[in-house]
Amino acid sequence: MPTLNDIAQRAGVSTSSASRAFREGTSITPEVRERVLQAARELGYTPNLLARSLKSSRSNLIGVDVCNIENPFYALIIKSMENELKKHGYQLVLSYSNGDPKVERKNLELFVGMQAMGVVFMPLARKNMDTVRLLKKRGVALIQLFNRAYDFVDTISVLDDQGAYLAAKHILQHGHRQILLLNVDTPFSSDRADGYRRAFQELGIPLDERYIRTVNPANLSSQDVEALLTELAPTAVIAGVYDLGKKFLTACRALHYRVPEDISFVAFDDVEWPELMDITAVSQPMEYLGLTAVRMLLDRINGSIDMNQPVSTIVEPKLNLRSSVKTLRR
Amino acid sequence: MPTLNDIAQRAGVSTSSASRAFREGTSITPEVRERVLQAARELGYTPNLLARSLKSSRSNLIGVDVCNIENPFYALIIKSMENELKKHGYQLVLSYSNGDPKVERKNLELFVGMQAMGVVFMPLARKNMDTVRLLKKRGVALIQLFNRAYDFVDTISVLDDQGAYLAAKHILQHGHRQILLLNVDTPFSSDRADGYRRAFQELGIPLDERYIRTVNPANLSSQDVEALLTELAPTAVIAGVYDLGKKFLTACRALHYRVPEDISFVAFDDVEWPELMDITAVSQPMEYLGLTAVRMLLDRINGSIDMNQPVSTIVEPKLNLRSSVKTLRR
DNA sequence: TTGTAGGCGTTATCAA
DNA sequence: TTGATAACGCCTACAA
């Protein structure tokens, strides 16, 4: 494994000159640089980024902890972040916590150890106060996505209640009254139930709280969903989160319900199948989320934001109208 | 930022003792170790993994370059790899090349620079011979996924022609004859067209080569697919790759074709929507692929495989039967 | 078991 | 512009 020294020797210059040849804006004669680069080519030399980072105390690493990669929604955000980061010379390091706070903690600590200059994570709960504080104290640029779990950390979140509001209103306006909201008990940005209630209120329609069902997507079986559907006999369903939409559709198949003929439906997160299946869905701007996250990180890293107080960006979802909501005559 | 030295001082021991306190299997008095760890806690110290890697020349980094993350299929492989890698103390570093060989090269070079101990990539073409050779020469454990582009590199691939064979046979046995294969021109593991032809041959059914259409998923518009469907009027379609399935379904919507009433369909890659839409699909064992990749990497890294010759693992896909293929009476 | 000293590969400082 | 020298933070003989 050739080192800078080997190159320097072969090129007949000092190590410092060799070092300079590999960096921009260093004072070096073009001729010397070329000689060094030539030697490097011959020996197949590549700068050791570990040593470079150690010396310069700039790792250019950004740690990203994702809670659930199976959701293609997150994949798109990662892609967006990776693209933007690379433009600025940073490298994305990926971890999954699967929503487990203990794993999240491990991952965050690892990022600290790797001297990551920035970290993006998606806290499901406020369970790692010490570790997050440590990151902050270390001066690591920090962003929490979707959930404002730690109030001293920059946040990017989505106005989920607005999504539920749009969905519920849309369905109500099509004449439905028994609208099942499959709500999630994760403490995300804002409670979908609020938006749901707001829609009823605004339209002056009485609300039956039984139709708001808080469930845990991780534990919920398709059978559970089937049971809910038969128990409550809703004419329409809002899936509060991506996975729940899948479970709803699976349950529909088992019960031989057709959408929208037998039951109307609005999905959350418009990726992959809603478009294919012509299903109306609440949509979040994934690329924008990723882009914003990176920008906020870089602003912190470059000190463009020198305030101590945390910044919060809230993004509004929209409703992509398709044909999964039937008009009911009453 | 506290260093090992600071900890040592505070604990009243030497740097080496402090160092030992953080590692397993080192000879150190429990009492001393505790004092060191206590000091670390007080100062919020975390070992600098960069320095550690530099010194020990073990970065524990595994670089993964993905060609297309939008395909949830890849996301699942990444998840599987990340899980397995973490168990063994390695960290996944992620990059996207989007199928661009130039970007792929950049990414591979970056991995070298980061002193990655292993690299997994998905070459679309054999365009980076120099760089891949360099990796190999450097002793980086190397795996190419899906495409045996470089013959001196370990490979994990899927028998794609088998997938196409199973699909075509299944459709033929349901009485179809005009079966459009949307084939891809990426030089993947094995040509789907071969499997398609094999099915016809085996059943002694004459084949019309016009029904094998090699297309480029990246450039192909839904309109193109519509045009193909109207031109050839197939009674069934096999989408050779994930994205093409989506485009097919979109085209169906535009043309008001129903699956399977008006046209039968088999998808490639059984993730996300085929199950929801009750569509028969060729399925690849994603978790197994990821797991195998990691095992092969670790074997190389640990020298369990000390041969020079490359290893190749080929996985067979299966056909998940659902109800998107109609039986034709002829 | 503990401490000392040297070095991993690079960059920064300072003279020349 | 160039080169010698000293770090960056850690690990590891080796000696005590």
Side-chain angles (χ1 to χ4, degrees), chain A residues 181-201:
Chain A
L181 170 67
L182 292 172
N183 199 20
V184 283
D185 63 357
T186 47
F188 263 172
S189 317
S190 54
D191 192 353
R192 291 150 173 81
D194 293 341
Y196 178 92
R197 292 198 190 92
R198 188 150 52 88
F200 278 77
Q201 215 161 20

Side-chain angles (χ1 to χ4, degrees), chain B residues 145-174:
Chain B
L145 271 184
F146 301 122
N147 182 12
R148 200 159 175 281
Y150 304 93
D151 58 12
F152 54 93
V153 173
D154 291 348
T155 311
I156 299 180
S157 57
V158 178
L159 212 53
D160 285 324
D161 66 338
Q162 178 71 2
Y165 164 78
L166 291 172
K169 188 171 159 190
H170 175 72
I171 296 173
L172 284 169
Q173 287 171 336
H174 281 70

Side-chain angles (χ1 to χ4, degrees), chain A residues 203-219:
Chain A
L203 297 177
I205 296 170
L207 178 151
D208 183 345
E209 284 282 342
R210 285 181 310 144
Y211 281 82
I212 300 177
R213 294 303 264 253
T214 301
V215 299
N216 182 345
N219 301 338

Side-chain angles (χ1 to χ4, degrees), chain A residues 91 94 110 242 253 272 276, chain B residues 91 110 242 253 272 276:
Chain A
Q91 179 61 40
L94 193 70
L110 192 67
Y242 184 76
R253 165 136 325 117
E272 295 296 323
L276 293 179
Chain B
Q91 178 62 39
L110 192 67
Y242 185 75
R253 167 138 323 118
E272 296 295 323
L276 293 179

Side-chain angles (χ1 to χ4, degrees), chain A residues 1 44 46 49 70 79 86 91-96 107 110 113 138 242 246 253 272 275-276, chain B residues 1 44 46 49 70 78-79 86 91-96 107 110 113 138 242 246 253 272 275-276:
Chain A
M1 210 100 78
T46 325
L49 265 31
E70 307 202 41
K79 178 195 168 115
K86 192 173 304 178
Q91 179 61 40
L92 191 152
V93 178
L94 193 70
S95 278
Y96 297 109
N107 290 342
L110 192 67
R138 284 289 181 96
Y242 184 76
K246 288 198 203 176
R253 165 136 325 117
E272 295 296 323
E275 188 181 359
L276 293 179
Chain B
M1 210 101 75
T46 323
L49 265 33
E70 306 201 43
I78 295 178
K79 178 194 168 117
K86 191 174 304 178
Q91 178 62 39
L92 191 152
V93 179
L94 192 70
S95 278
Y96 297 110
N107 290 342
L110 192 67
R138 285 288 182 96
Y242 185 75
K246 287 198 202 176
R253 167 138 323 118
E272 296 295 323
E275 187 180 359
L276 293 179

Side-chain angles (χ1 to χ4, degrees), chain A residues 13-24:
Chain A
V13 296
S14 72
T15 320
S16 343
S17 289
S19 170
R20 286 189 264 260
F22 290 98
R23 286 169 296 149
E24 310 273 304

